[in-house]
Amino acid sequence: MADLAARASRDASGVPPELLDGYLEDLAEVSTTGVQLGPDRLRARHDVGARAAAQGVSLRGLVDLYLGATRLAWPVLPGVRRAAGAEAVRVVGEAVFRAADIAVTALAEGYEEAQRWAVRREESFRREFVDDLLDGRNLAELAERAERFGLRLAGSTVVAAVRAAGPIVDGGDVSRRVETALHLRLGSRDVLVTTKDGLLVCVAPEAMGEAPDEFVRQVAAAMGSDAAWRVGLGRPHPGPGGAVRSFEQARHALDIAERLDLPGPLHKAADLLVYRVLLRDSAALADLVGAVLEPLRRARGGAGPLLDTLDAYFASGRVATACARDLHVGVRTVTYRLQRVRELTGHSADDPRQGFALQVAVLGAKLLGWPATALPSPGKHQA
């Protein structure tokens, strides 16, 4: 039997003969008794399949080993050698090959079960690592764990985050397409694509400067140009804790871009620092909005049309014709509304100092959601 196992191993391109583990002896017994393999023997085959998966043996190679061993053992099985006549050989053959069939089935089940558990375990490790990386936990261990996923945290790291109309799930069609395409395009595994809190997240080394732009292109290809989505890009930060800082900045960039309805898909935290400064003291910002813009509520139709006109006027560089074009109204409507703002607030949009106060107040109103949302009470700060 040992010689047969060695020959079957060679025929199966070197799959270890130890994985037969009593199989040939089982066939010998079946050939003489005709009794099929019981639960204990099938459990042994199941365990061999799991062991082969853990050793990195392919399922094809494992099956090849068993079928080859069955073929080589057939002429020397005691039941075959003792069989008298064709009918007896047929009966033995039916029992032996039935045993081989159920043994290989048990092997495959054990192998596939081990593979599923390995995948689940790897997914669990990856999810735990991603959560620690983007929440800033267990920083002392992150660098070593990151190597397992092809990510180097010794240098500076930059994070981009995508927010769509609905949550993006890990392992979903969008995340898989973006991850595969990004690795192919960049020719590197040093980029981590994952999800966090419904966002699609890309973590890349700062040195790979093309990664964020390529990430945006692949998101556009996966999501479609008509889908509602934005990308926030944090600034690069060094060390294992750099990813969580960059991720928080990416999320803040998304929040600000949505509140201000900024155009374009990509919004960089570095370009939005002025808005973060404004939000850092939200109580003072609320005081400014209330003091400057609260009188606009007395206008016919409420504060909304006048606020929109101010926003468009400042965005157009204080050019009334361009503002009217953006709002799809006449120039006289724009000038009338600006005059009403001056009458109600005492601030002129064309006066350098008064116009600056108005512009900052308008930005603050959009950041705070005013007038649809009530301003926070004194002493209460917004995030």
Side-chain angles (χ1 to χ4, degrees), residues 117-129:
W117 277 109
V119 169
R120 290 174 187 168
R121 186 168 60 251
E122 189 66 18
E123 288 175 348
S124 176
F125 288 152
R126 189 176 192 268
R127 185 72 262 165
E128 183 180 351
F129 167 73

Side-chain angles (χ1 to χ4, degrees), residues 309-335:
T309 300
L310 284 172
D311 184 37
Y313 187 65
F314 292 129
S316 66
R318 294 183 170 86
V319 179
T321 54
C323 174
R325 184 172 60 252
D326 292 341
L327 293 175
H328 305 289
V329 299
V331 176
R332 292 183 63 182
T333 300
V334 171
T335 55

